[in-house]
Amino acid sequence: MDQYAGVAGEREAPSQGDVRGRRVRLSWLLVGTLLTCGVITFTAWRILSFAGGNPNRQAMSVFLCAAEDVHQACEGRGAPTAAEKHMIEQRIRAMPEVTDVRFRNQQDSLRDSGLIGAVEGLLGPSAVAESFRVVLADYRDLPEAKRKIRALPGVAQITPDQRSEDARRHRAEGEKKRDEVTIFLCERASAFPNCDGRKATKAHKDAIDTALRTMPEAISVEFVGRDKVWAQWLENTDGDTLGMTSEDVPECFIVRVPDLTQIEAFVAKVEAMKGVAHVVSKQDVLDDWDTRQGG
């Protein structure tokens, strides 16, 4: 059976569906949404294991275009055919910097992505693009390898794995903010049920802000506005707008809840507020990371 599970010469064409529907079916959109408010900077993607290997090596995920895709490199082309996937793999294997290449179907891409449980539970295999896992001999070759791979037709996005030393540093930094809860507001492309496809209004934001500042569990409340979020979004996507505008990314509140035993109940109350899309506690992120690392 062809590992690419495709038919050579037949390209899956983009449908004429609604743009909003395209956006919310892609896992990188949801992940990028969380990254904009700094929730999963150290758990967003698979951690590179160095057991028995070269500590200088670097791995990355090379995501392919999907049938419906808003990456700039994928506009109007659809998903690669089996022949095109084979070509991409051969071109990557021929690069002197590369030591290993493995194709991953949608199911494998979801399993290997390393998404935190809070995100993974919202996704299914159909929401994740096929990918190649690529390993380099030396992390210093990453910029040049990314440049060459990104130029290949059919490649949508490249996400480097996090190196173990960086993961440990981010884990330690995250521990200092274990009491932090991030509250994402509804935006116009939101897929969260509480939003019903509608953007949070000023009245919603004012009501949420007032409610948070009167809740005894919270000791600080910070609102992160759209301009700051959009700048972070562009940084996380290497300047690729992914078909989005600043009006599509979510604003958020960051709240500190010092009594860790109250966080679960606090999250439940906030999730029910009108205009709130999703709530993620740093404590859950840390616990999920520890579970995945067996610690």
Side-chain angles (χ1 to χ4, degrees), residues 92-111:
I92 295 174
R93 284 189 185 279
M95 295 178 184
E97 308 96 319
V98 173
T99 61
D100 187 57
V101 181
R102 180 171 66 87
F103 176 73
R104 297 183 297 195
N105 59 27
Q106 290 173 315
Q107 185 69 52
D108 291 339
S109 289
L110 177 63
R111 186 191 65 237

Side-chain angles (χ1 to χ4, degrees), residues 224-233 246 249 251:
V224 182
R226 197 169 303 283
D227 289 345
K228 184 175 181 179
V229 174
W230 181 241
Q232 183 63 52
W233 170 276
S246 61
V249 296
E251 298 177 309

Side-chain angles (χ1 to χ4, degrees), residues 164-183:
S164 59
E165 60 266 37
D166 294 332
R168 287 192 293 269
R169 185 183 74 254
H170 291 147
R171 172 64 177 76
E173 292 171 353
E175 186 62 43
K176 299 174 184 177
K177 298 181 180 180
R178 181 173 279 273
D179 63 349
E180 190 174 277
V181 176
T182 303
I183 302 160

Side-chain angles (χ1 to χ4, degrees), residues 53-203:
N54 177 4
N56 289 324
R57 74 173 188 158
Q58 174 73 59
M60 56 184 166
S61 293
V62 177
F63 289 96
L64 304 179
C65 295
E68 296 177 328
D69 208 321
V70 292
H71 278 90
Q72 294 169 1
C74 301
E75 187 175 358
R77 65 155 288 121
T81 64
E84 288 171 328
K85 295 173 197 175
H86 179 75
M87 178 274 295
I88 293 170
E89 179 174 358
Q90 293 307 306
R91 293 280 294 275
I92 295 174
R93 284 189 185 279
M95 295 178 184
E97 308 96 319
V98 173
T99 61
D100 187 57
V101 181
R102 180 171 66 87
F103 176 73
R104 297 183 297 195
N105 59 27
Q106 290 173 315
Q107 185 69 52
D108 291 339
S109 289
L110 177 63
R111 186 191 65 237
D112 290 349
S113 65
L115 297 172
I116 62 171
V119 180
E120 189 175 19
L122 297 170
L123 302 172
S126 62
V128 182
E130 295 175 322
S131 64
F132 287 100
R133 179 167 169 78
V134 178
V135 180
L136 306 178
D138 196 313
Y139 70 90
R140 287 167 292 192
D141 291 328
L142 180 64
E144 178 64 12
K146 283 180 64 178
R147 183 191 66 78
K148 290 191 286 189
I149 295 173
R150 188 178 284 120
L152 297 176
V155 171
Q157 179 82 340
I158 301 173
T159 307
D161 284 10
Q162 190 168 74
R163 294 173 55 79
S164 59
E165 60 266 37
D166 294 332
R168 287 192 293 269
R169 185 183 74 254
H170 291 147
R171 172 64 177 76
E173 292 171 353
E175 186 62 43
K176 299 174 184 177
K177 298 181 180 180
R178 181 173 279 273
D179 63 349
E180 190 174 277
V181 176
T182 303
I183 302 160
F184 295 93
L185 303 182
C186 296
E187 35 78 24
R188 68 182 184 182
S190 179
F192 293 99
N194 196 42
C195 297
D196 194 28
R198 299 179 181 178
K199 180 178 172 181
T201 65
K202 183 180 185 303

Side-chain angles (χ1 to χ4, degrees), residues 174-281:
E175 186 62 43
K176 299 174 184 177
K177 298 181 180 180
R178 181 173 279 273
D179 63 349
E180 190 174 277
V181 176
T182 303
I183 302 160
F184 295 93
L185 303 182
C186 296
E187 35 78 24
R188 68 182 184 182
S190 179
F192 293 99
N194 196 42
C195 297
D196 194 28
R198 299 179 181 178
K199 180 178 172 181
T201 65
K202 183 180 185 303
H204 288 146
K205 286 184 276 190
D206 290 345
I208 294 168
D209 183 75
T210 299
L212 292 175
R213 294 182 188 281
T214 58
M215 295 173 76
E217 304 97 318
I219 62 168
S220 70
V221 178
E222 176 190 358
F223 176 71
V224 182
R226 197 169 303 283
D227 289 345
K228 184 175 181 179
V229 174
W230 181 241
Q232 183 63 52
W233 170 276
L234 293 177
E235 181 180 337
N236 290 330
T237 59
D238 290 330
D240 189 339
T241 64
L242 308 181
M244 310 291 285
T245 71
S246 61
E247 292 302 308
D248 294 304
V249 296
E251 298 177 309
C252 64
F253 287 95
I254 298 176
V255 181
R256 305 295 291 270
V257 181
D259 186 345
L260 302 183
T261 65
Q262 296 185 11
I263 287 181
E264 186 175 351
F266 175 82
V267 168
K269 287 192 289 186
V270 174
E271 283 180 327
M273 295 181 180
K274 291 187 180 301
V276 171
H278 189 48
V279 183
V280 178
S281 74

